[in-house]
Amino acid sequence: MEQFVVSARKYRPQTFKDVVGQQAITNTLLNAIESNHLASALLFTGPRGVGKTTCARILARKINQPGYDDPNEDFAFNVFELDAASNSGVDGIRDLIDQVRIPPQMGQYKVYIIDEVHMLSLAAFNAFLKTLEEPPKHAIFILATTEKHKIIPTILSRCQIFDFKRITVKDAREHLAEVAKSQGVAFEDDALHIIAQKADGAMRDALSIFDRVVSFCGNNLTRQAVTENLNVLDYETYINMTDLILENKIPEVLMGYNDILAKGFDGHHFIAGLASHFRDLLVAKNPVTLSLLEMGEAAQQLYGQQAQKVSQDFLLKGIELANDCDLKYKVSQNQRLLVELTLMQISSINFDGEKKKSDFIIPPTYYRRNDYSISEINSKFQIPNSKIVVEETTETPSAKVEEIIEVASSELEVSSSEIRFESSELRIEEAETVKVQEPEIRNPKPDTTVTTAKVSATSLASIRVRKEMAEAQKSEAKEVIHLPNEPFSETEMLEQWIKYAQRMEDKGLRIIASLLTINDPTLDGTTIIHELPNESSKIDFEKEKPELLGYLRGKLHNHEISIHVKVNETLVDKKRYTTQEKYNRLVELNPNLELMRNLFGLEVNE
């Protein structure tokens, strides 16, 4: 059985043309070789798996024999690789310095590749400085690292630095497609796109994931198989969730989030992905920015369709809510509740609340029973948008009412005796709410049984109440609510004042409690006068004043109570006495207390 070679090794680039996503650097190196401007010390830095070591090996082979580029000739005798992670001490660097002096046996240059150079110790760096600055003509040093900031500045200043960038999703997907074709694997573009996204800019990681997924699903690489194997949330999940959010289906949204958690996904990952999904929808709304979506054509079409359903304001508000949840997630004590509340808030962005009432309160069955249709009523009254609007007039309300009754009774074939107003003070121009009696159909025959419903006075088509009751309703007096006004003493006020201060103390609001007990308030009629030592304490007290006022009014049964705060800078805060100090004061008042304590052998507890 032939040994399996992973794709990262099998498809490692052998020439600069094969390097993926680093065209700027490879072109620079080629031009430097051709023009003989190659530096003696190079530093390749960048993320993992982007081609640093690969480019170093290609460069080592390329410079040894200009004009000859045979992938099978690696000039192994002239290339020395040192892993600084396992040789971080100064001894390894000293051995390297001793080897540098010996010229190459074949080829033109001896190339020293030091991988993970940031792992070298400070002593090793210092020992390497002189050789790195003035190496022999036949020696070239190529340093590779993922953490350039850990290299001392004296080393950086002696090197020509090449910053390798992350492999874009597009480049990684195209390279994976070539690898899949060479292996005879059928694939979907979305499947390769997910693998490229999961690799996070590292080509080596992308090839490793590709091998893993191929082992899972065989020679047919589908999006569903990739998402199942990698356990990632693909765009279909977010599209379905967004559809539920747009329909304001909060229960279904919460159940969908529960299913996501049941599959083992993290809520933080989900809410961050939802914010990115809203961003992608915002990008998809404009054809000019559609190219910013790094995904397949099928996915772009789905995003374009959903983008047409949502408004820009909704997406901006959704991104703001999701991003706010993302920031609060790590510090939240109940992370699931935080995400669920965010989902409910996003689902309620386009929710208008209660459904608006119909313009016509009279049920359509009434008009059908009387051979009327809405269109006929509109045409008779010349009503736009099924509404009857009362125009402003200088006539008195009663005269206007009589005119309305005559028109309504003649056009709707309703006798004037069926029209009744049930508002105590009818103001047509102010559109106050009145009650009308609605017909209720109990059987096919006409019935005079009515029910009451609230309608607007501007909707004249629904006014069918009796005229005779209008004057009677006007004569009814409005019910007056009398608030309690019971007398109370200053002692009763002080008792409730102290109880409220104790409540604040129990709640942990010690500042408010101290402001309440700093001085005993006085009573002037129903006005409570309280003195405070300075303006800052007055400001703090004013914040608590409404709640205190409501408490005192309720407990003392007097709603004329008011509180007046004065600032008295000479006021001294009350001192908290210890138990011993209290006892000493009581002994001064009654010396027999000390005699009783000695007689019974009592002690004063602190």
Side-chain angles (χ1 to χ4, degrees):
M1 181 178 179
E2 186 179 355
Q3 184 179 4
F4 173 73
V5 180
V6 296
S7 298
R9 289 181 56 194
K10 184 178 180 180
Y11 297 99
R12 180 187 288 271
Q14 299 299 319
T15 63
F16 282 131
K17 294 181 180 179
D18 299 332
V19 178
V20 178
Q22 308 294 346
Q23 284 77 12
I25 293 177
T26 55
N27 291 339
T28 303
L29 293 175
L30 284 173
N31 293 336
I33 294 172
E34 293 176 358
S35 59
N36 196 22
H37 283 174
L38 189 65
S40 59
L42 307 175
L43 175 63
F44 292 171
T45 178
R48 69 186 190 281
V50 295
K52 299 185 296 297
T53 306
T54 298
C55 286
R57 292 176 180 177
I58 295 174
L59 179 63
R61 185 178 65 248
K62 185 78 174 176
I63 62 179
N64 270 296
Q65 195 167 354
Y68 178 74
D69 194 6
D70 185 6
N72 297 322
E73 180 60 69
D74 56 2
F75 295 94
F77 292 102
N78 289 1
V79 179
F80 301 89
E81 290 194 28
L82 176 67
D83 182 18
S86 56
N87 298 278
S88 59
V90 69
D91 294 337
I93 294 298
R94 286 173 179 170
D95 293 340
L96 185 146
I97 294 173
D98 293 339
Q99 295 177 8
V100 167
R101 301 172 183 174
I102 304 172
Q105 299 300 316
M106 58 180 299
Q108 298 182 15
Y109 296 95
K110 292 180 71 173
V111 182
Y112 294 88
I113 302 174
I114 305 177
D115 205 1
E116 303 298 335
V117 69
H118 65 274
M119 300 293 288
L120 290 177
S121 63
L122 182 60
F125 274 130
N126 291 329
F128 191 40
L129 283 176
K130 190 62 176 178
T131 304
L132 189 66
E133 184 176 8
E134 297 178 359
K137 294 182 180 180
H138 58 266
I140 292 180
F141 294 97
I142 303 177
L143 314 181
T145 180
T146 56
E147 301 181 45
K148 183 176 68 173
H149 60 279
K150 291 186 178 181
I151 301 177
I152 61 176
T154 50
I155 293 290
L156 294 176
S157 64
R158 288 167 168 79
C159 297
Q160 193 174 86
I161 302 174
F162 292 86
D163 288 309
F164 284 68
K165 63 180 181 180
R166 292 179 179 272
I167 309 298
T168 63
V169 175
K170 180 181 178 182
D171 291 338
R173 183 182 59 192
E174 292 176 353
H175 185 67
L176 289 175
E178 295 178 359
V179 173
K181 291 177 182 178
S182 65
Q183 294 185 2
V185 177
F187 60 88
E188 295 180 0
D189 288 338
D190 291 339
L192 297 182
H193 178 80
I194 294 173
I195 295 175
Q197 281 186 323
K198 186 73 173 177
D200 194 23
M203 196 67 244
R204 181 171 59 239
D205 292 356
L207 291 171
S208 300
I209 296 172
F210 175 80
D211 289 342
R212 167 185 163 187
V213 175
V214 169
S215 300
F216 172 73
C217 59
N219 293 331
N220 187 16
L221 209 61
T222 62
R223 179 183 59 83
Q224 183 177 1
V226 171
T227 54
E228 181 180 354
N229 182 259
L230 299 182
N231 197 29
V232 297
L233 288 171
D234 61 343
Y235 63 84
E236 185 177 355
T237 302
Y238 290 110
I239 286 179
N240 294 336
M241 183 66 74
T242 304
D243 287 337
L244 295 176
I245 289 174
L246 294 175
E247 296 173 4
N248 309 120
K249 296 181 178 180
I250 295 180
E252 288 80 356
V253 171
L254 297 181
M255 291 303 299
Y257 177 59
N258 182 69
D259 293 339
I260 291 173
L261 294 179
K263 294 178 181 178
F265 293 104
D266 182 38
H268 196 185
H269 175 68
F270 165 75
I271 201 67
L274 186 63
S276 299
H277 177 72
F278 287 156
R279 174 264 179 192
D280 292 340
L281 289 177
L282 195 61
V283 168
K285 289 185 70 68
N286 194 328
V288 178
T289 58
L290 192 61
S291 59
L292 297 177
L293 292 179
E294 295 181 343
M295 56 185 62
E297 295 182 359
Q300 288 185 1
Q301 292 179 359
L302 291 176
Y303 271 80
Q305 294 174 2
Q306 190 172 68
Q308 302 305 319
K309 301 178 184 178
V310 295
S311 63
Q312 183 174 345
D313 294 337
F314 171 85
L315 293 176
L316 293 175
K317 184 64 175 177
I319 293 174
E320 180 182 355
L321 292 173
N323 187 55
D324 184 60
C325 177
D326 184 13
L327 296 175
K328 296 178 180 178
Y329 189 87
K330 289 186 178 181
V331 298
S332 174
Q333 296 295 327
N334 193 339
Q335 296 174 338
R336 174 167 182 165
L337 178 60
L338 175 66
V339 177
E340 289 177 340
L341 288 175
T342 302
L343 291 175
M344 287 188 282
Q345 290 175 340
I346 296 175
S347 302
S348 303
I349 294 176
N350 290 336
F351 187 61
D352 295 333
E354 296 182 358
K355 295 182 179 179
K356 296 180 180 179
K357 295 182 179 180
S358 174
D359 293 324
F360 279 89
I361 306 301
I362 300 177
T365 53
Y366 175 85
Y367 301 109
R368 290 196 295 268
R369 185 185 64 183
N370 292 277
D371 297 330
Y372 275 96
S373 64
I374 300 299
S375 59
E376 292 175 351
I377 295 172
N378 291 343
S379 61
K380 287 185 178 184
F381 284 92
Q382 298 181 357
I383 306 168
N385 299 326
S386 301
K387 291 184 179 179
I388 301 176
V389 180
V390 179
E391 298 179 354
E392 294 184 0
T393 178
T394 57
E395 299 178 14
T396 62
S398 58
K400 191 66 178 177
V401 169
E402 292 179 358
E403 179 182 353
I404 293 169
I405 294 172
E406 294 177 0
V407 175
S409 60
S410 61
E411 293 295 336
L412 298 177
E413 298 182 1
V414 180
S415 63
S416 60
S417 62
E418 294 182 28
I419 301 178
R420 177 169 61 91
F421 290 92
E422 292 186 358
S423 175
S424 59
E425 292 185 8
L426 179 62
R427 296 288 186 270
I428 295 177
E429 64 273 17
E430 295 178 0
E432 290 189 357
T433 302
V434 299
K435 294 184 178 180
V436 301
Q437 293 184 340
E438 293 286 345
E440 187 179 273
I441 303 176
R442 299 181 181 274
N443 49 58
K445 297 180 180 180
D447 194 355
T448 59
T449 304
V450 294
T451 58
T452 61
K454 290 184 178 182
V455 298
S456 173
T458 58
S459 181
L460 303 182
S462 59
I463 300 177
R464 293 182 295 101
V465 293
R466 300 182 182 276
K467 180 180 178 181
E468 294 83 6
M469 297 300 296
E471 296 297 331
Q473 292 292 337
K474 292 180 181 179
S475 63
E476 293 181 359
K478 293 184 177 179
E479 182 181 358
V480 180
I481 300 176
H482 297 281
L483 298 176
N485 186 16
E486 298 180 6
F488 60 94
S489 64
E490 185 172 347
T491 303
E492 294 173 340
M493 180 271 294
L494 285 174
E495 180 182 358
Q496 298 300 331
W497 186 280
I498 295 173
K499 287 183 179 180
Y500 186 83
Q502 186 61 41
R503 286 180 56 185
M504 297 296 101
E505 182 76 22
D506 296 339
K507 290 182 179 180
L509 304 176
R510 297 183 179 179
I511 296 178
I512 299 300
S514 63
L515 293 178
L516 291 169
T517 57
I518 195 173
N519 185 35
D520 292 336
T522 59
L523 184 64
D524 183 10
T526 58
T527 302
I528 301 173
I529 301 174
H530 188 51
E531 294 185 354
L532 294 174
N534 49 55
E535 287 292 338
S536 62
S537 60
K538 180 180 178 181
I539 294 174
D540 294 336
F541 182 84
E542 290 290 346
K543 296 178 181 178
E544 188 66 23
K545 181 179 174 180
E547 186 174 349
L548 171 61
L549 194 58
Y551 174 84
L552 294 176
R553 287 176 176 176
K555 292 295 183 180
L556 299 176
H557 305 288
N558 192 315
H559 282 259
E560 294 184 358
I561 296 176
S562 61
I563 299 177
H564 179 63
V565 182
K566 291 183 178 180
V567 176
N568 185 0
E569 296 183 355
T570 61
L571 190 65
V572 180
D573 192 1
K574 286 185 176 180
K575 179 181 178 181
R576 291 184 176 270
Y577 294 100
T578 64
T579 306
Q580 184 64 44
E581 291 173 340
K582 292 179 181 178
Y583 175 75
N584 294 337
R585 177 58 178 165
L586 291 175
V587 170
E588 292 178 3
L589 297 176
N590 189 356
N592 293 328
L593 188 62
E594 178 68 16
L595 179 63
M596 182 185 69
R597 186 181 72 84
N598 295 330
L599 179 63
F600 292 100
L602 302 177
E603 294 181 359
V604 179
N605 295 326
E606 291 294 335

